[in-house]
Structures are given as C-alpha cells and as structure tokens.
Amino acid sequence: ELIEDWVHRGIGILLITSEMDELLTLSHRILVLYRGRLVEEFSRESASKDGILAAAMGYGARREAPGSVGDLEPFGPGSEAGA
C-alpha cells in the first residue's frame, strides 16, 4: 500500500524482489540482470512470468521467443549469443 501511494505521488522506486506476483503488480518497467549485466527489459504490458524467469536464468530472451522455457538456448559467457 505504501509503495502504491509513492507511485501515485510520482516517486521513483527501485524494487528488488523474487516474488513474481508482487513484481508484476507493482512494476511499470522491469529490468532483468544476469551475471551483473542487463539482459532484458519489459514493460508492464509485455512482461510475463516465463519471460522474466527465462531472462533471470540467463537465457536469450531478447531473441525470438521459443515455445517453452525448455526450448531456450543459454545466453552469457561461453554461449554463442554472449560471445
């Protein structure tokens, strides 16, 4: 409730959480880091649990979306996309 009040007053908030429902409810923009690097940015409208989770696990979410998380290719050091 306090966070929602701050948002309505125009105060910027940096929310760090692993609670996906909280993240999707309170955020206007979601930035996902993997190994200290920004790997994905989502708007509230484009964010999904699967997309955020895939990016947080280091998968190449910026590439064409696969059918499921199991179809994703790794992103990061040593992978073709991270090279």
Side-chain angles (χ1 to χ4, degrees):
E1 191 175 295
L2 180 61
I3 292 174
E4 290 174 1
D5 179 53
W6 289 344
V7 168
H8 291 294
R9 291 173 42 200
I11 298 171
I13 299 164
L14 174 63
L15 175 66
I16 301 171
T17 183
S18 60
E19 298 296 324
M20 196 66 68
D21 291 332
E22 179 180 59
L23 182 67
L24 292 168
T25 300
L26 297 174
S27 301
H28 291 93
R29 184 171 68 154
I30 299 166
L31 304 176
V32 181
L33 302 178
Y34 176 72
R35 294 187 175 175
R37 293 178 44 196
L38 177 65
V39 295
E40 193 61 68
E41 178 176 352
F42 298 94
S43 67
R44 177 182 293 192
E45 296 77 25
S46 69
S48 69
K49 290 180 181 182
D50 285 342
I52 294 168
L53 182 59
M57 292 172 39
Y59 291 96
R62 288 185 184 220
R63 292 186 274 175
E64 186 175 324
S68 69
V69 172
D71 295 336
L72 292 170
E73 295 180 27
F75 176 85
S79 70
E80 190 175 307

